């Protein structure tokens, strides 16, 4: 049975019909400078994957400085990106009662609902999400009892193509640290993944709302497709919040917490958030890529020596997701072995409005 709407974890209002921002969704006032974005600086680099000579160097530099970059010439067809976007639109435009038939259970990962990190905030986000782990069949059947195949076919093709791209990107990102396939035995058979569809309806008071609160991804890397509406912002020390402009056909790559661990802290996992706007419905699709289940992730031995002790203890992906669900922005430091250097790894909390 779908959970009832009043369940704290499924507190999903029908955002498409609201004419005025409710207090429950009002995050900020116009005096809140922490929230302001700084679009006068350059955004994350755009890297052409066909640029064989320089792509790897540029990727390494982007991972160290931003923890994120955009890619073009990635071989994912525009047809597939368009089909994925249309599948997301079709899902989120279903009536709320129908979407709730595929509601995520309180302790589950897959299904329809508010962002998992919602429980850490006293305000609700202006978004809805749908998470797919493995086959979408069971949920698709609940959403479209007579016509679920179309959705499943697109998701399956998207997952297959994204898995290949994620593997390729992981080797490029590790390659620029001098790591080769011989150094990472567990990675040869591919990884595990989840697919997150995010929907941000047009918002009557966008300056006071929050689409998706600031977070880092608990992944090795994330491949994000955003529709033609901006909203994604990344945080860069010294620059503040910087918008990642949607470029037709480009994909955004984020360094996740597990790559931060593997790189022994050399690559920061990027803090990012999504803001909303007054007129346009924004959609994004995140392919969250992690290691095979059961594999313990720890700093790669090639990156560890006397002068560079391992900064993190070994964790599996599922263990880390559990830690994130419990500690949220303190998850990385909770698996840390050595104290962070002063002024590093201890950013002040940029998510105000915490619970409690
Ligand atoms: C494999 C993952 C990674 C998850 C949890 C699980 C499935 C859904 C992912 C997200 C997607 C939206 C942001 C986030 C912070 C959230 O709330 O759900 C992500 C979270 C994480 O990266 O920690
Ligand atoms: O919608 C976006 O641009 C961000 C989505 C995101 O960060 C996520 O799904 O993890
Ligand atoms: Fe994210």
């Amino acid at each position: 049975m779908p959970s009832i709407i009043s369940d704290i974890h499924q507190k999903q209002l029908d955002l498409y019909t609201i004419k005025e921002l409710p207090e429950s969704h009002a995050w900020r006032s116009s005096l809140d400078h922490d929230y302001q974005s700084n679009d006068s600086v350059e955004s994350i680099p755009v890297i052409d994957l066909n640029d064989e000579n320089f792509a790897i160097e540029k990727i390494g530099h982007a991972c160290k400085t931003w923890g994120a970059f955009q890619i073009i010439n990635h071989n994912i067809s525009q047809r597939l990106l368009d089909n994925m976007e249309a599948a997301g639109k079709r899902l989120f435009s279903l009536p709320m009662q129908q979407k709730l038939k595929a509601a995520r259970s309180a302790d589950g990962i897959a299904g329809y609902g508010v962002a998992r990190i919602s429980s850490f905030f006293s305000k609700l986000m202006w978004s809805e999400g749908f998470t797919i782990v493995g086959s979408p069949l069971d949920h698709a059947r609940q959403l479209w009892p007579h016509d679920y195949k179309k959705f499943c076919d697109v998701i399956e093709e998207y997952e297959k193509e994204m898995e290949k791209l994620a593997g390729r990107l992981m080797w490029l990102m590790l390659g620029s640290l001098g790591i080769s396939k011989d150094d990472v035995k567990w990675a040869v058979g591919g990884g595990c993944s989840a697919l997150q569809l995010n929907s941000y309806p047009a918002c009557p008071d966008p300056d006071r709302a929050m689409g998706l609160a600031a977070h880092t991804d608990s992944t090795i890397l994330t491949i994000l497709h955003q529709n033609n509406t901006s909203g994604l912002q990344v945080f860069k020390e010294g620059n503040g919040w910087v918008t990642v402009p949607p470029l037709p056909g480009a994909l955004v790559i984020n360094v996740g917490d597990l790559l931060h661990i593997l790189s022994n802290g050399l690559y920061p996992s990027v803090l990012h958030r999504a803001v909303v706007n007054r007129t346009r419905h924004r959609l994004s699709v995140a392919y969250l890529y992690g290691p095979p289940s059961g594999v313990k992730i720890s700093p790669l031995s090639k990156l560890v020596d006397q002068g560079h002790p391992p900064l993190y203890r070994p964790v599996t992906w599922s263990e880390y997701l559990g830690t994130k669900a419990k500690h949220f922005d303190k998850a990385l430091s909770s698996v840390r072995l050595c104290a962070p250097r002063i002024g590093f790894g201890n950013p002040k909390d940029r998510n105000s409005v915490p619970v409690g």
Side-chain angles (χ1 to χ4, degrees):
M1 279 298 286
S3 19
I4 48 169
I5 305 179
S6 60
D7 176 340
I8 179 76
H9 297 293
Q10 296 294 342
K11 226 191 219 165
Q12 190 68 69
L13 293 186
D14 193 345
L15 303 174
Y16 298 89
T17 56
I18 299 177
K19 298 281 178 284
E20 202 178 315
L21 192 76
E23 257 329 288
S24 56
H25 289 68
W27 282 62
R28 45 184 169 170
S29 74
S30 50
L31 301 170
D32 241 336
H33 293 293
D34 258 16
Y35 280 110
Q36 236 101 86
S37 37
N38 177 2
D39 289 330
S40 57
V41 294
E42 224 178 313
S43 189
I44 60 174
V46 179
I47 297 172
D48 181 348
L49 288 191
N50 278 351
D51 178 4
E52 281 173 22
N53 296 327
F54 296 106
I56 196 158
E57 266 173 47
K58 289 181 180 159
I59 287 175
H61 187 252
C63 288
K64 281 192 194 118
T65 53
W66 288 89
F69 54 93
Q70 302 213 59
I71 53 171
I72 54 171
N73 285 319
H74 41 60
N75 278 342
I76 306 289
S77 70
Q78 193 58 46
R79 173 196 59 84
L80 182 55
L81 296 177
D82 292 345
N83 286 348
M84 185 65 234
E85 206 177 300
K89 280 217 177 98
R90 188 165 161 245
L91 187 158
F92 291 115
S93 63
L94 287 170
M96 182 56 80
Q97 282 311 315
Q98 193 65 15
K99 289 187 274 197
L100 287 174
K101 292 189 177 157
R104 185 172 59 229
S105 60
D107 53 353
I109 291 188
Y112 173 78
V114 298
R116 259 167 57 116
I117 55 175
S118 294
S119 56
F120 293 97
F121 301 91
S122 60
K123 298 289 181 175
L124 289 166
M125 300 176 207
W126 195 265
S127 62
E128 50 182 348
F130 186 76
T131 313
I132 299 164
V133 181
S135 170
L137 187 62
D138 288 347
H139 279 142
R141 270 198 171 127
Q142 287 160 331
L143 294 169
W144 301 280
H146 307 293
D147 186 18
Y148 51 85
K149 193 170 178 303
K150 202 160 72 181
F151 183 80
C152 293
D153 287 349
V154 175
I155 298 295
E156 273 156 25
E157 187 185 354
Y158 196 81
E159 285 180 333
K160 205 174 95 215
E161 290 300 311
M162 284 291 148
E163 171 158 26
K164 281 191 264 177
L165 179 59
R168 189 174 157 212
L169 284 164
M170 182 176 78
W171 292 120
L172 287 168
M173 290 157 104
L174 290 175
S176 59
L177 292 173
I179 304 295
S180 70
K181 291 194 180 176
D182 295 334
D183 302 316
V184 198
K185 293 282 181 288
W186 54 259
V188 177
C192 282
S193 69
L195 200 61
Q196 171 78 19
L197 279 59
N198 299 299
S199 159
Y200 308 90
C203 176
D205 195 353
D207 296 340
R208 293 169 65 223
M210 178 56 72
L212 186 58
H215 65 279
T216 58
D217 294 340
S218 314
T219 56
I220 291 180
L221 63 94
T222 302
I223 305 177
L224 188 92
H225 168 56
Q226 47 179 346
N227 74 348
N228 58 7
T229 303
S230 71
L232 175 65
Q233 298 184 329
V234 297
F235 190 86
K236 190 168 185 240
E237 218 57 64
N239 287 0
W241 288 106
V242 181
T243 298
V244 178
L247 305 176
L251 294 165
V252 181
I253 312 303
N254 289 342
V255 172
D257 292 343
L258 296 187
L259 185 52
H260 175 83
I261 294 176
L262 284 169
S263 71
N264 204 24
L266 291 174
Y267 289 167
S269 47
V270 64
L271 188 68
H272 57 284
R273 68 181 185 183
V275 296
V276 293
N277 76 88
R278 194 179 295 276
T279 52
R280 302 174 69 120
H281 180 195
R282 179 167 182 270
L283 223 91
S284 73
V285 180
Y287 179 81
L288 302 138
Y289 185 69
S293 63
V295 168
K296 292 248 186 204
I297 293 301
S298 56
L300 292 163
S301 52
K302 254 196 177 170
L303 304 174
V304 170
D305 60 32
Q306 281 218 318
H308 304 89
L311 297 181
Y312 297 93
R313 69 169 175 82
V315 275
T316 64
W317 197 17
S318 66
E319 217 184 303
Y320 191 74
L321 285 172
T323 305
K324 186 77 153 226
K326 205 163 147 200
H327 300 295
F328 185 45
D329 57 337
K330 314 282 184 304
L332 252 188
S333 45
S334 80
V335 296
R336 190 156 174 132
L337 292 170
C338 309
R341 286 194 322 244
I342 306 286
F344 179 79
N346 189 19
K348 69 177 162 79
D349 191 2
R350 298 176 200 95
N351 290 313
S352 52
V353 215
V355 171

